[in-house]
């Protein structure tokens, strides 16, 4: 029997998240609900977690409105689901006294760190969500866990099955950790332009890595299409489709957004900003914070050079601003299914040039002791710019996606920086950290 890629209908902009509390519920776990195409359904059912009891949230019901788009009606080849992803409980003091059941129980609940120097400079409180503290080292662990659990709930992935994804970065690493922990095989298709370091890491984590020629998304040989086609040719296999699988977005509605809300003392926050690749992190957090604050919290998209989203927010046109960027995994040429339903919730857009991004990589290392990659540094630059726009006294949060150790051979190489014409943008006092030739 051929497997199906996960393609999900996204909730519309007027979707409201409704929660009820019933911490002692012992009702049987409901079966996944599959929706036929062409329907518009509002369902409210108790969601029972597959996480251990110590990690379950007191929230046991979610109301989610699922409405199929015309495009999905034409293109989707799989059923649409009401996500049945595992809830976790989060405390204000972290998980120091908590024993979790397997690696997947350690995903999420990362600290929110005040970035002191940039906070002092702007007269605001600027916070970074320390997502490099996830077990796989990045924010993508959340999406990886949710797309796998989603496939299980739909019955598309059974014990001993195979997860297939097209990815060139952290999603693949997160999936490798999750699949190894849960006992699944993992096949990764990626462009053959990726570093050998990245390929070697994925293989050490047990993934079957298949580098293929780097061609545009419109080409049938694009690595994403090859991942989909392979999954359909193998029994008990699923293409997790990270860009358009809204279980990705749901991970941040159910975990990252609520964490930020709690960590800021019940939403004592004025703004949130981050960049986007699949759209799941930005859309999910934005949706949650907007719903909880009745629209009070401002949310900005941060965009690197070469992406179309800044222009789309500012001008309504999908045109690129600038050339390519040194950042990895962020920037887009389209609206993904994860981002599209929440696009209109975004209040503004910020274009962040590489010159500011590379300077912030070195500033965070020197001033805060935080060793971050370029996309994380871009997010912090965006938080600073948002603080300047909103004025002193505001509280701004962003996401520190991952650490720099996966990129250090370039970001801390003088020859690479000079080749990108970025070395002179690093403050002279910080050039002492450029230790690689």
């Amino acid at each position: 029997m051929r497997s199906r890629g996960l393609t999900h209908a996204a909730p519309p902009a007027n979707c409201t998240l409704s929660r009820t509390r019933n911490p002692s519920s012992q009702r049987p776990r409901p079966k996944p609900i599959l929706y036929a195409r062409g329907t518009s359904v509002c369902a409210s059912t108790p969601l029972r977690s597959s996480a251990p009891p110590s990690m379950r949230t007191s929230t046991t019901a979610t109301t989610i409105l699922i409405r199929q788009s015309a495009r999905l009606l034409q293109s989707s080849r799989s059923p649409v689901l009401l996500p049945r992803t595992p809830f976790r409980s989060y405390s204000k003091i972290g998980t120091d006294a908590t024993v979790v059941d397997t690696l997947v129980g350690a995903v999420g609940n990362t600290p929110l760190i005040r970035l002191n120097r940039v906070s002092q400079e702007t007269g605001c409180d600027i916070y970074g969500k320390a997502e490099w503290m996830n077990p796989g080292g990045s924010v993508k662990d959340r999406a990886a866990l949710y797309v796998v659990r989603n496939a299980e709930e739909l019955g598309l992935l059974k014990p001993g099955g195979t997860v297939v994804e097209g990815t060139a970065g952290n999603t693949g690493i997160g999936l490798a950790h999750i699949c190894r922990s849960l006992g699944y095989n993992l096949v990764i298709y990626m462009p053959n332009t990726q570093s050998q370091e990245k390929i070697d890491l994925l293989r050490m984590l047990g993934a079957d890595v298949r580098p293929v020629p780097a061609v545009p998304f419109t080409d049938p040989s694009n690595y994403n299409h090859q991942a989909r086609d392979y999954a359909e040719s193998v029994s008990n296999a699923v293409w997790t489709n990270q860009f358009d699988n809204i279980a990705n977005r749901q991970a941040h509605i159910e975990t990252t957004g609520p964490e930020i809300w709690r960590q800021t003392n019940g939403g004592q926050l004025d703004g949130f900003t981050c960049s986007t690749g699949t759209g799941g992190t930005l859309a999910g957090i934005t949706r949650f914070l907007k719903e909880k604050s009745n629209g009070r919290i401002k949310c900005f998209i941060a965009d690197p050079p070469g992406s179309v989203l800044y222009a789309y927010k500012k001008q309504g046109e999908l045109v690129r601003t600038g050339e390519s960027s040194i950042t990895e995994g962020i920037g887009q040429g389209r609206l993904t299914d994860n981002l599209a339903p929440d696009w209109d919730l975004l209040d503004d857009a910020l274009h962040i040039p590489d010159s500011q991004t590379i300077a912030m990589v070195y500033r965070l290392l020197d001033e805060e002791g935080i060793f971050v990659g370029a996309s994380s540094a871009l997010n912090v630059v965006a938080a600073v710019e948002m603080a300047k726009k909103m004025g002193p006294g505001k509280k701004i949060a962003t996401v520190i996606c991952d650490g720099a150790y996966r990129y250090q051979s370039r970001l801390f190489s003088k020859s690479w920086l000079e080749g990108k014409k970025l070395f002179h943008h690093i403050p002279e006092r910080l050039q002492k950290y450029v230790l690689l030739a």
Side-chain angles (χ1 to χ4, degrees), residues 326-327 352-364 374 377-378 381 410-412 416-417 421-427 430:
I326 62 168
T327 57
I352 310 298
D354 283 349
S355 57
Q356 294 183 40
T357 294
I358 196 65
M360 188 59 74
V361 168
Y362 283 80
R363 284 195 60 187
L364 289 170
L378 181 147
V381 173
R410 294 185 302 162
L411 295 179
F412 294 86
W416 186 84
L417 291 165
K421 298 181 172 55
L422 291 173
F423 181 74
H424 69 283
H425 290 291
I426 301 170
L430 303 181

Side-chain angles (χ1 to χ4, degrees), residues 249-263:
R249 169 180 174 269
Q250 196 70 19
H252 302 285
I253 292 175
E254 293 183 5
T255 68
T256 328
E259 287 174 41
I260 292 172
W261 183 267
R262 282 188 290 270
Q263 289 166 326

Side-chain angles (χ1 to χ4, degrees), residues 34-172:
L34 304 185
Y35 293 111
R37 298 192 183 101
T39 61
S40 179
V41 181
C42 184
S44 179
T45 54
L47 300 184
R48 292 301 307 279
S49 174
S50 57
S54 63
M55 299 302 292
R56 291 178 188 168
T57 185
S58 59
T59 301
T60 58
T62 302
T63 300
I64 300 175
L65 180 66
I66 302 285
R67 181 164 296 176
Q68 321 272 351
S69 68
R71 182 171 61 77
L72 282 174
L73 291 175
Q74 296 172 356
S75 64
S76 175
R77 292 181 290 175
S78 62
V80 179
L81 82 152
L82 177 66
R84 296 266 189 239
T85 41
F87 287 110
R88 294 183 55 211
S89 62
Y90 302 90
S91 69
K92 292 182 180 179
I93 60 171
T95 57
D96 292 349
T98 302
V99 175
V100 298
D101 185 14
T102 77
L103 174 140
V104 300
V107 174
N109 202 19
T110 57
L112 191 66
I113 299 175
R114 186 179 188 271
L115 304 175
N116 292 320
R117 285 293 294 276
V118 292
S119 294
Q120 292 167 6
E121 288 177 8
T122 59
C124 295
D125 289 313
I126 296 179
Y127 305 104
K129 192 86 165 95
E131 290 299 290
W132 81 85
M133 293 187 180
N134 279 303
S138 86
V139 66
K140 293 295 187 180
D141 287 8
R142 297 178 188 261
L145 175 58
Y146 266 57
V147 296
V148 170
R149 289 302 198 198
N150 223 162
E152 292 174 336
E153 295 287 357
L154 278 176
L156 299 175
L157 187 62
K158 298 178 175 61
T162 300
V163 172
V164 186
E165 184 56 90
T167 175
N170 286 328
T171 300

Side-chain angles (χ1 to χ4, degrees), residues 23 34 42 52 83 155 174 235 299 365 375-376 398 416 423 425 436:
L34 304 185
C42 184
S235 62
C299 296
L365 174 59
S375 56
S376 299
T398 190
W416 186 84
F423 181 74
H425 290 291
L436 303 178

